[in-house]
Amino acid sequence: MELNTRAVHVANEPLPTGSRPLSVPLVLSSAFAFDSADELADAMAGPDGAYVYGRRGNPTVRALEQTLAELEQGAGAIAFASGMGAISGVLLALLRPGDRVVAQRCLYGGTHAVLGDLAGRYGIEVVRISGDDPAELEAAAVHPATRLLILETIANPTGQVPDLPGLLAAARTLGVTSVVDNSLASPVLCRPLEHGADIVVHSTTKYLSGHSDILGGAAVFADDALRRRVWPRTVELGACADPFAAWLTLRGIPTLPLRMREHCANATVLAERLTAHPAVTAVHHPLLPGHPSYAVAREVLAGGGGLLSFEPAGGREAGRAFVERVRLARLALSLGGVETLVTHPASTSHRELDGAALAAAGIAPGLVRMSVGIEHVEDLWADIEQALG
Ligand code: PLP
């Protein structure tokens, strides 16, 4: 079945009476009682048995995990308390001191931070690559302890789309486990497991839940044995998904394809108009023909996504001024919700990067990031025009 259909018919177990509720039940119990000690002991053996304790599994959370695995075409999933919970959980579960990680240079700031921390405190080496050429991975992987490749489908905030088919095929040949953060594309625009990724991670805080009302994350695995290997470590880490956040995410998923369509359509119109605006010096959106990732974006994405960034003429001060002048769009740090948000990355999400690191990540000092919502595009354009002065 098509993804739109699968998104509506989310996982749903029958009740003991036999009928199925149309909405997945929200189960808040933190622990589950048993009649026999042996049954309780058996239930503790793995991730898929009877529910025991909330950190090890919960019916609402499991329904979300099954739904995400279904949408990403994976063998199974683990839901987390946040996107960073998912990223940290996967890295901590799979890495050992002395390992080498190959990371795309333009990654979410939090991912950069956790990789830096692992490098400084646990002797893990992080090699950065542009993500545009599989030969960079092949060169980095001459080190025998090269364990992980980490990429983002659409990088934040430059809109870079790495060469997923080339890099994921090379990772597979080299025996390097590949992790792709698919938060900005969502499974509607790209399913990295279909291109050969081993693990997809999500901040479900973003498009998947879609309404700026929860924090959540997930890891979806191509191979169930890998999910079973990672699961015990995530139980220890304790960054488990909250059942109510899981329920709200399940509530958002049926409309994900419709929302993505509007996000993509609005962002494309705004990107094109900004390109022609005299007070704008550069616009970054993967489906603008001049974008460096245009060709690969056309190949791997079913739409350009809802994120765009641009540089107002006047550098850092102009960028800061723009985010304070918008009236309909809000100045707020997240993305992927139904409402349009703007930020100035150089002073917020990427403030820990110095000038050289910002330049290396492709972030101009005046860059404005816009998470384009599903409002009417003419209202958004009127707001942008007045804010540009
Ligand atoms: N990955 C990407 C691409 C993000 O943009 C973010 C947050 O903005 C995260 C991961 C972290 O997600 P969370 O805030 O849910 O921990």
Side-chain angles (χ1 to χ4, degrees):
M1 279 185 280
E2 296 296 327
L3 188 122
N4 293 35
T5 313
R6 286 186 277 126
V8 171
H9 293 277
V10 293
N12 208 348
E13 296 297 319
L15 293 172
T17 52
S19 58
R20 289 170 193 262
L22 294 181
S23 161
V24 172
L26 169 58
V27 179
L28 291 172
S29 189
S30 58
F32 298 81
F34 288 76
D35 291 330
S36 114
D38 282 346
E39 278 175 33
L40 172 51
D42 288 349
M44 295 192 67
D48 303 318
Y51 302 103
V52 175
Y53 182 65
R55 190 151 42 74
R56 307 175 66 89
N58 165 282
T60 316
V61 172
R62 195 175 289 175
L64 174 63
E65 291 169 340
Q66 287 166 352
T67 301
L68 293 174
E70 171 86 6
L71 293 181
E72 288 285 5
Q73 301 282 279
I78 303 174
F80 288 85
S82 67
M84 282 313 299
I87 292 164
S88 303
V90 165
L91 294 179
L92 290 172
L94 295 180
L95 292 174
R96 294 169 192 279
D99 280 351
R100 174 178 277 194
V101 177
V102 182
Q104 187 183 337
R105 208 164 278 125
C106 186
L107 289 177
Y108 171 62
T111 310
H112 271 304
V114 74
L115 286 173
D117 203 35
L118 287 171
R121 302 198 308 150
Y122 300 103
I124 285 160
E125 192 192 357
V126 182
V127 176
R128 315 236 176 226
I129 60 168
S130 72
D132 296 328
D133 184 357
E136 291 175 295
L137 173 62
E138 282 153 9
V142 292
H143 191 296
T146 306
R147 197 71 57 209
L148 278 187
L149 167 69
I150 180 155
L151 306 169
E152 284 179 13
T153 325
I154 304 176
N156 171 12
T158 57
Q160 183 204 4
V161 180
D163 176 8
L164 284 184
L167 286 162
L168 295 175
R172 207 145 268 258
T173 309
L174 295 161
V176 174
T177 303
S178 54
V179 181
V180 181
D181 185 331
N182 199 31
S183 304
L184 268 60
S186 91
V188 175
L189 303 187
C190 183
R191 289 172 297 283
L193 300 182
E194 292 176 357
H195 293 282
D198 293 304
I199 304 175
V200 164
V201 289
H202 273 285
S203 168
T204 56
T205 314
K206 308 294 176 344
Y207 293 104
L208 278 160
S209 64
H211 294 76
S212 307
D213 49 11
I214 64 116
L215 279 179
V220 188
F221 299 83
D223 172 11
D224 206 49
L226 191 55
R227 176 185 69 108
R228 291 175 158 278
R229 188 146 74 81
V230 169
W231 179 77
R233 306 282 85 76
T234 67
V235 173
E236 292 158 8
L237 183 67
C240 52
D242 169 58
F244 188 45
W247 188 86
L248 282 171
T249 308
L250 284 164
R251 179 85 159 83
I253 284 174
T255 57
L256 175 70
L258 301 183
R259 288 185 280 109
M260 289 313 291
R261 197 169 70 200
E262 291 301 302
H263 289 297
C264 291
N266 281 353
T268 304
V269 171
L270 297 181
E272 283 166 358
R273 291 190 190 175
L274 281 164
T275 305
H277 197 287
V280 172
T281 57
V283 184
H284 311 281
H285 180 269
L287 286 189
L288 281 178
H291 193 282
S293 301
Y294 180 71
V296 67
R298 289 287 303 262
E299 185 187 342
V300 302
L301 299 180
L307 204 79
L308 64 85
S309 58
F310 65 95
E311 298 165 34
R316 191 180 183 97
E317 285 318 308
R320 282 184 67 109
F322 180 89
V323 299
E324 290 178 354
R325 275 197 214 129
V326 285
R327 294 185 192 135
L328 178 61
R330 312 274 179 82
L331 169 55
L333 265 193
S334 197
L335 62 95
V338 288
E339 64 290 286
T340 297
L341 303 180
V342 291
T343 60
H344 177 234
S347 59
T348 52
S349 55
H350 292 68
R351 70 190 177 290
E352 68 275 12
L353 304 189
D354 61 20
L358 271 180
I363 297 169
L367 191 82
V368 171
R369 186 190 82 182
M370 181 170 266
S371 170
V372 179
I374 63 169
E375 302 94 334
H376 197 289
V377 72
E378 296 305 336
D379 292 327
L380 293 174
W381 181 244
D383 190 31
I384 290 172
E385 277 200 305
Q386 69 76 27
L388 284 170

